[in-house]
Amino acid sequence: MEWVKEERYRRLEDTDPDELSWLAAKVARSPWRQGYHIQPETGLLNDPNGFAFFQGEYHLFYQWFPLGPVHGLKYWYHTSSPDLVRWTNRGVALKPDQDFDSHGVYSGSAIEFNGCLYLMYTGNTRDKSWERLPYQCMAQMEKDGQIHKFHSPVISGTPSGYTEHYRDPKVWQQGECFYAVIGAQRSNLTGCAVLYRSNDLYKWEKVDELNTGLPDFGYMWECPDYFELNGQGVLCFCPQGVDLKEPGNIYSSGYIIGTPLDVETGDLQHEDFRLLDRGFDFYAPQTTLTPDGRRILVGWMGLPETKYPTDDYGWAHCLTLPRELRVEGGSLYQVPVRELQTIRGQRSLADGMISSGSLNLTDFAGSRYELIIEFNNIDATGFGIALRTGEKERTVLLCNTKESKLMLDRTLSGRPIAEEFGTIRTCNVNPSTVKLQIFMDTSSIEVFVDDGREVFTARIFPHEESKGVCLFAKGGNVLYRAKKWNIEVEGSKLNVI
Ligand code: FRU
């Protein structure tokens, strides 16, 4: 079904309640609802927003179009959690109900100040001829959870030298000042990020563009996020329109790392751009700091301009699991937050050797689990694990020892997604020992390789009965040792408005 503009820009508040019930019933018929990932009750979820710890809880908002699986009039939806694992739906946080955000409460971030959580976001507006004008806006969440918007935007329009693509403020505090980076497009149609400073979160002044070594790198940088880790400066962002010279996704999400940002000049010295995730469905991540000082990242498990099989059931996308970041050898490593261990249920163990053949781990069958497997003493030319296997389906992690490559192959995972961008993704590995930590949910897989050196994130849409787990080796032997825990968390409750 094609959605015309009038349908996509309808407001939740003006929608017939019967339409919402009908949509919710359609979602409930979906075979692909997730078990322990944040997902929308109806409609489309995209970027994580406003990720912060405040008043003893984590708050995580997301971009939401409630009325169908398309990018329409965006709201901020609010979820919260005591532990980054068990999330409660809290309803709509920000509606597009002001002149300065009339066509969408777009992405942004949060920061605590003076006992409140401040939400800084982009108000998307369009005029009669559908010309876009962005505003950077602020709202304030009180201790009791009440949210009030500021009466006027804190940054109006765009400075000269930039187009109307100017959005997604990520705010942080450094010393006495607040800073924000905003994703932007220059008038010459190249992407960049612009640095702002404020003393009070009300009045903002432009410092300068971030001065990186990437003056001509894509046509727009979405969702920038700057932070420091281990004394290094890290800028995550989503450059649109870059050719990364390998089969990849429609848009990519990555980072540059180097010496800390000079907040007086905007200078950022850094190494080459690297991908944050080697999988298929990952975009627009956002980070926050926990009270005990860990830097945690959550991403959108989806991509813009891409159709997904859940569209037929009136919903689309989910968020990734939260990952803890660390710097090692000049790169970012990502591991699932340790709190996820608290949802480990029934455990199965297996170990042994496979010699040119395959082995079904019958105890390991399932569709919602965590699985850790280590491969050692490898003289096979290829080996790996097939997951969610069924009569005709399988999702395969295959290590090619000669080429030192690990592949995630979703060619036979079930219903296809964006096949025109390929069905295999790869990363480099040291083939003498390989460790995989895998989180499987009904319709997604997240694979942490070698303690977080690489991550593959992907949606998969297998048949409900495709639950098998099978190990295999070719041209030699491999020793393996595997553990699997079922994951059972009660799904989030319906709580739309
Ligand atoms: C990234 C993005 C942001 C924008 C938001 C709108 O996915 O395009 O740049 O703020 O989504 O939903």
Side-chain angles (χ1 to χ4, degrees):
M1 182 175 102
E2 279 308 314
W3 285 61
V4 296
K5 200 158 81 183
E6 289 68 29
E7 280 173 330
R8 286 198 288 125
Y9 281 82
R10 278 182 308 142
R11 319 175 71 79
L12 179 59
E13 307 83 279
D14 301 336
T15 307
D16 182 347
D18 285 350
E19 180 184 338
L20 288 174
S21 314
W22 173 81
L23 184 59
K26 190 169 165 178
V27 173
R29 287 196 296 275
S30 167
W32 293 304
R33 294 295 282 168
Q34 296 278 58
Y36 57 94
H37 284 81
I38 293 176
Q39 62 190 340
E41 294 300 349
T42 60
L44 181 140
L45 162 159
N46 57 303
D47 315 352
N49 293 156
F51 192 15
F53 187 83
F54 175 63
Q55 288 289 306
E57 277 188 305
Y58 293 95
H59 295 269
L60 181 51
F61 304 80
Y62 58 76
Q63 287 285 286
W64 189 44
F65 175 62
L67 303 177
V70 292
H71 290 270
L73 186 58
K74 295 287 171 72
Y75 292 67
W76 272 36
Y77 192 88
H78 184 191
T79 66
S80 65
S81 168
D83 59 4
L84 292 167
V85 175
R86 295 163 185 87
W87 294 94
T88 303
N89 283 342
R90 303 276 295 260
V92 167
L94 295 171
K95 299 175 186 175
D97 58 1
Q98 302 293 319
D99 290 347
F100 51 76
D101 58 20
S102 57
H103 289 68
V105 181
Y106 273 14
S107 285
S109 52
I111 191 151
E112 186 175 351
F113 180 50
N114 277 348
C116 286
L117 190 70
Y118 285 80
L119 312 176
M120 188 176 189
Y121 67 93
T122 300
N124 184 50
T125 72
R126 302 256 191 193
D127 67 11
K128 287 207 182 68
S129 39
W130 210 245
E131 292 290 322
R132 189 198 295 270
L133 186 63
Y135 294 92
Q136 313 309 322
C137 313
M138 202 60 103
Q140 201 174 331
M141 185 163 95
E142 311 288 341
K143 288 198 176 107
D144 63 3
Q146 299 260 21
I147 298 175
H148 319 280
K149 287 182 185 170
F150 284 19
H151 294 298
S152 46
V154 292
I155 302 170
S156 292
T158 60
S160 75
Y162 301 93
T163 75
E164 77 280 12
H165 292 289
Y166 205 78
R167 55 179 175 263
D168 312 335
K170 175 73 200 295
V171 57
W172 74 96
Q173 191 171 7
Q174 197 165 315
E176 295 293 291
C177 283
F178 297 99
Y179 293 89
V181 274
I182 298 182
Q185 179 179 62
R186 301 186 191 97
S187 303
N188 70 1
L189 307 188
T190 55
C192 64
V194 182
L195 179 65
Y196 280 78
R197 176 174 44 222
S198 171
N199 291 321
D200 54 9
L201 297 173
Y202 283 76
K203 277 216 296 289
W204 288 87
E205 57 168 337
K206 178 168 164 270
V207 177
D208 208 338
E209 214 174 79
L210 288 194
N211 180 17
T212 68
L214 299 169
D216 184 5
F217 193 64
Y219 58 80
M220 166 67 189
W221 291 8
E222 293 191 314
C223 303
D225 186 346
Y226 177 77
F227 55 89
E228 285 166 19
L229 194 58
N230 273 31
Q232 303 269 286
V234 181
L235 181 74
C236 294
F237 61 106
C238 300
Q240 296 187 301
V242 286
D243 181 6
L244 293 171
K245 310 243 178 328
E246 56 183 309
N249 302 332
I250 180 166
Y251 298 123
S252 33
S253 170
Y255 67 97
I256 48 182
I257 183 166
T259 46
L261 173 68
D262 183 333
V263 289
E264 299 301 317
T265 60
D267 283 351
L268 184 62
Q269 310 268 346
H270 59 86
E271 304 290 323
D272 288 346
F273 178 82
R274 288 177 211 159
L275 292 178
L276 272 165
D277 195 286
R278 313 297 308 192
F280 298 88
D281 306 285
F282 182 87
Y283 199 69
Q286 188 171 98
T287 69
T288 195
L289 212 49
T290 61
D292 62 2
R294 291 174 290 159
R295 177 62 59 177
I296 309 295
L297 175 145
V298 168
W300 168 27
M301 213 195 290
L303 286 174
E305 295 158 46
T306 307
K307 287 195 162 39
Y308 286 79
T310 57
D311 294 359
D312 298 341
Y313 294 92
W315 70 285
H317 311 307
C318 61
L319 297 181
T320 68
L321 295 173
R323 309 165 177 184
E324 179 179 345
L325 304 182
R326 69 175 194 278
V327 178
E328 212 177 294
S331 291
L332 279 185
Y333 278 53
Q334 307 170 59
V335 289
V337 292
R338 56 173 175 261
E339 288 86 342
L340 282 159
Q341 294 172 11
T342 64
I343 52 170
R344 287 176 173 172
Q346 199 193 338
R347 190 181 67 164
S348 309
L349 298 175
D351 68 327
M353 184 173 79
I354 322 168
S355 306
S356 302
S358 63
L359 174 73
N360 245 321
L361 296 182
T362 40
D363 276 4
F364 279 45
S367 47
R368 291 176 181 169
Y369 55 79
E370 177 188 346
L371 194 163
I372 299 181
I373 185 159
E374 287 178 64
F375 296 100
N376 285 300
N377 288 51
I378 302 161
D379 71 15
T381 53
F383 65 91
I385 183 165
L387 303 153
R388 304 301 294 274
T389 64
E391 224 178 296
K392 294 190 182 126
E393 294 178 349
R394 57 185 168 274
T395 297
V396 183
L397 283 156
L398 165 66
C399 182
N400 179 326
T401 30
K402 280 210 191 97
E403 291 180 11
S404 304
K405 295 263 186 232
L406 178 71
M407 270 170 13
L408 170 65
D409 184 347
R410 70 170 179 185
T411 315
L412 298 175
S413 289
R415 288 276 296 272
I417 317 135
E419 280 180 310
E420 64 277 24
F421 290 93
T423 58
I424 293 174
R425 295 289 183 270
T426 56
C427 73
N428 295 329
V429 282
N430 168 358
S432 60
T433 163
V434 173
K435 179 176 175 192
L436 307 174
Q437 182 175 11
I438 300 164
F439 284 84
M440 184 65 73
D441 203 342
T442 318
S443 55
S444 68
I445 176 169
E446 286 153 286
V447 184
F448 297 85
V449 182
D450 294 338
D451 296 311
R453 194 177 43 76
E454 300 281 7
V455 191
F456 290 97
T457 299
R459 296 304 299 275
I460 50 169
F461 298 95
H463 190 274
E464 279 161 283
E465 294 307 315
S466 296
K467 291 184 176 174
V469 175
C470 179
L471 304 179
F472 58 87
K474 292 189 264 203
N477 307 320
V478 56
L479 281 184
Y480 68 91
R481 193 188 255 215
K483 286 186 210 177
K484 176 227 169 194
W485 296 266
N486 287 337
I487 294 184
E488 283 144 25
V489 192
E490 218 190 285
S492 52
K493 289 177 211 82
L494 193 78
N495 177 12
V496 175
I497 307 173

